[in-house]
Amino acid sequence: MSGAEAPDAVDSRRPLWVVPHEVPAIVPLPSRSTEPRWVGVYRWAAVGGDLVAAMIGVSIALLTRFGYHVGSSYLVVSSLLPPAWVAVVALSKGYDSRYFGAGPDEFRSLMRSGVGLTALVAMTSYVTRTEIARGFVVLAIPVLVVSALLLRYALRKDLHRHRVRGRCMHRVLVVGRSGPAATLCEHLESRPTDGYRVVATCRPRDDSNGPLQPEELTEPDILAAADRHAVEVVAVATDPELAGQSLRRLSWALEQRGIELIVSPGIIEVAGPRISVRPVAGLSLLHLERPSVSGGPHLMKAVFDRIVALGFVVVLAPLLIGLAVAVKVSSPGPVLFRQQRVGRAGVEFTMLKFRSMYTDAEQRLSDLYALSDGNGVIFKMRNDPRMTPLGRWIRRFSLDELPQLFNVLRGDMSLVGPRPPLAEEVALYAADDSRRMLVKPGMTGLWQVSGRSDLSWDESVRLDLRYVDNWSMTLDLLILWKTVRAVFYGAGAY
């Protein structure tokens, strides 16, 4: 047990241990009667950004549609559009502090607002019998929404920079038994950009795995701990004793204090789209949807993969030809390196890469195993002597993997998916690890945008399983976007 003060400072008659966490005194504690100062600053910055975005959209639409000869009616419409946009965003909860800096809801509200503003303009035009040029609306609102998204993204990135330095954080009290509470603390503190700083944990005094039953977590002690540490959020870890009516009363008491309550359902590595709360028989039940690994969505993914791969092959044809010539003249041997990998459902296929090593690389591998920089399962070496000078460069920017576009066209691989494993790696899989092969392996994936060769084996497997469990086209597009940055910086590539 560690922290800024000893646990024996807690009244022994209480049924809870309150364990403070060491928190650097970077900013003064906010008053819970009002919102923290940074929330107000962020909200007003968001409103200002939305007004700027609206003016950008209106200005571009006016200049494009009418040039410098704008009628008075359009000047009135243009002056009303920015405040109307802010009002629609507010109604869509775009300024709700719960979504500041974390999750996609902040951006979804802006896209919903774009649809809402379009409907509002159409209805107003119909009711007032005002003729508004469709070209003006079609240009102004999309430009407005895109500008607002970019400005909000920049604002969020600035907030993340402050949070990495320990500022603009929500003070959190974690409540639950030691095991689930420790897990919840670890997850909350692993991503400071989400804005949660655990300042104390509450757990039963006799919390153990022995025959004695631990004392229950009670509402008065939790409230006392929340008041003592001036927290803004109480996070309840999975606890069967703190549920039902007890949790309901706790939520009422926290509401009166202006403290937010969040509850961990104990389900890990499952993204929000697969989780929904539905009322059943008067109860709010958490439904966990089955992951999409086949059917219509994956048919759409297959079509998308082939169209995009074909486009890349056409656009990058000069680069592919140039790299092929460079590999051929730089060292003796074939241009392409072919290797058997395991694909979807355990079916083996031949993966293509530009050759980046000398032709005797496989024969020299056994002599280098002891020097591996890999994760214990995958052999990797930062300064591999088997690599050619050109091969070292093309690996640095992942250019050696471009021939895998033809694997995508053949249907062996996808643009995004789990890392394609070797047969000997598959032989080491645990029971859960084989779930990675429910989908096609990918040219890129969560493993590439999260560190690639710098990841441990467990981290690599965890990321692949997370992808399989939470796949969506939106996730694929996000990974493709992040891959560009990962390739440019070359993090973990060797």
Side-chain angles (χ1 to χ4, degrees), residues 394-411:
I394 63 176
R395 278 203 177 191
R396 170 71 172 75
F397 296 101
S398 301
L399 297 175
D400 60 319
E401 298 176 4
L402 288 178
Q404 292 171 25
L405 289 169
F406 295 99
N407 286 116
V408 176
L409 288 174
R410 290 192 312 198

Side-chain angles (χ1 to χ4, degrees), residues 85 88 92 108-122 141 145:
W85 168 249
V88 172
S92 299
R108 285 176 183 162
S109 66
L110 294 177
M111 291 186 284
R112 287 196 305 268
S113 300
V115 177
L117 183 62
T118 304
L120 178 63
V121 170
I141 295 182
V145 172

Side-chain angles (χ1 to χ4, degrees), residues 58 62 70-81 136:
V58 167
L62 287 175
V70 182
S72 58
S73 61
Y74 279 96
L75 290 176
V76 173
V77 171
S78 300
S79 63
L80 293 176
L81 206 57
F136 173 79

